[in-house]
Amino acid sequence: MKQKTALVVTAACLVLLSGQAGAQQYDCSAETYRQARPKVESLFGSGILRKDPRNAATVFVLDKYWTQLTAREKTRFAERLVCAIAGVGKGLSALTVKSLMTGQILGEWAAGSLSVR
């Protein structure tokens, strides 16, 4: 039952974090932050995301969650994550996304874009 609940939460978060399909540009506006912050918090609360206690600019993501995202969804995910962490009108110079299972780098956010490995 827990596994089924986790899959439902994962699916819901995929839809919520993928954001507006037509959006072309990253923008951490007050509205984007208002929408992204609770969703990102729910991912941390459900175990899909974990903070790296040794590096504030690194997060660990559940591998199964990451692999279910398309390239576009990964970029939107990173945008929302950066906005939720940094705050309104702010950004992060860099954010590393690592595998929760292996610790390997899955993606790196820098200068407003995501490179995926």
Side-chain angles (χ1 to χ4, degrees):
M1 186 65 174
K2 269 188 164 183
Q3 195 172 28
K4 188 174 183 178
T5 302
L7 289 174
V8 171
V9 169
T10 299
C13 289
L14 283 171
V15 171
L16 295 171
L17 281 177
S18 64
Q20 307 150 355
Q24 297 292 321
Q25 195 171 12
Y26 171 70
D27 175 24
C28 190
S29 65
E31 181 62 20
T32 300
Y33 179 80
R34 186 188 67 74
Q35 291 176 8
R37 182 68 186 193
K39 294 168 190 169
V40 168
E41 286 176 353
S42 74
L43 291 176
F44 279 111
S46 67
I48 293 172
L49 280 176
R50 291 209 180 118
K51 295 178 184 176
D52 184 343
R54 293 170 283 160
N55 185 344
T58 300
V59 294
F60 292 97
V61 65
L62 190 65
D63 297 69
K64 188 173 183 175
Y65 177 83
W66 184 257
T67 58
Q68 290 177 355
L69 298 173
T70 65
R72 183 179 180 103
E73 289 170 334
K74 287 175 183 172
T75 298
R76 295 298 290 164
F77 170 81
E79 290 172 351
R80 300 288 191 208
L81 183 58
V82 166
C83 182
I85 292 170
V88 177
K90 300 177 185 173
L92 299 176
S93 58
L95 179 70
T96 303
V97 178
K98 291 185 175 182
S99 162
L100 188 59
M101 188 166 40
T102 67
Q104 296 294 319
I105 295 174
L106 301 173
E108 295 179 295
W109 172 267
S113 67
L114 178 71
S115 64
V116 180
R117 294 187 179 188

